[in-house]
Amino acid sequence: MEVIHNQISNDAHRKITDTYTRGDYRVKVYTYHDKNKKCYWSIISECTVEPSGTTGIYFEKSRPQIDLNKLVNSAIASRYNYQHLISHHSKAIHMVRELVDQLLEKERVSA
């Protein structure tokens, strides 16, 4: 089964999300700007998904005791800048590339 990669970039919400979906398993890497703490956070998480009935839209089901939800990187940002958000997200993607591949491969083998 092939991996479906999707990236959603939202300047208004100060967040970029990359999702990697294989079957009913999804790994997400997202970076966002926290205006209260004045920093960028990058997080990797995993969950299971089920189809919603609309093509390409899924409901995510988190399993808190099992699923990975881990801080990848953080950086202080006194002001929000969309180009800096893109840069920090690219660094986070690079840092977890091997982990994403391992998680997707592990799920493929167990399915």
Side-chain angles (χ1 to χ4, degrees):
M1 187 170 284
E2 74 178 73
V3 174
I4 299 169
H5 174 245
N6 190 14
Q7 184 180 65
I8 299 170
S9 180
N10 191 324
D11 188 21
H13 289 111
R14 302 177 179 201
K15 184 175 182 178
I16 300 174
T17 305
D18 274 69
T19 60
Y20 304 89
T21 307
R22 173 179 275 154
D24 66 347
Y25 179 73
R26 175 175 287 169
V27 176
K28 293 192 311 187
V29 180
Y30 57 96
T31 303
Y32 68 96
H33 178 258
D34 184 333
K35 64 182 176 183
N36 294 324
K37 295 192 182 328
K38 298 190 186 289
C39 66
Y40 296 106
W41 300 102
S42 296
I43 297 170
I44 183 171
S45 64
E46 63 179 342
C47 63
T48 59
V49 294
E50 61 184 41
S52 67
T54 305
T55 304
I57 298 178
Y58 299 90
F59 294 118
E60 294 182 356
K61 293 170 43 178
S62 204
R63 304 167 296 182
Q65 298 82 7
I66 301 169
D67 292 342
L68 176 70
N69 191 11
K70 178 181 168 185
L71 177 67
V72 174
N73 197 10
S74 64
I76 295 172
S78 57
R79 293 179 154 258
Y80 169 71
N81 181 308
Y82 185 62
Q83 295 305 317
H84 290 164
L85 179 67
I86 292 169
S87 173
H88 287 289
H89 186 68
S90 295
K91 288 177 190 172
I93 292 291
H94 181 71
M95 292 171 70
V96 297
R97 184 71 242 162
E98 286 185 26
L99 178 57
V100 169
D101 291 341
Q102 289 172 1
L103 290 169
L104 291 169
E105 184 63 25
K106 174 191 78 165
E107 188 59 27
R108 185 183 71 78
V109 171
S110 66

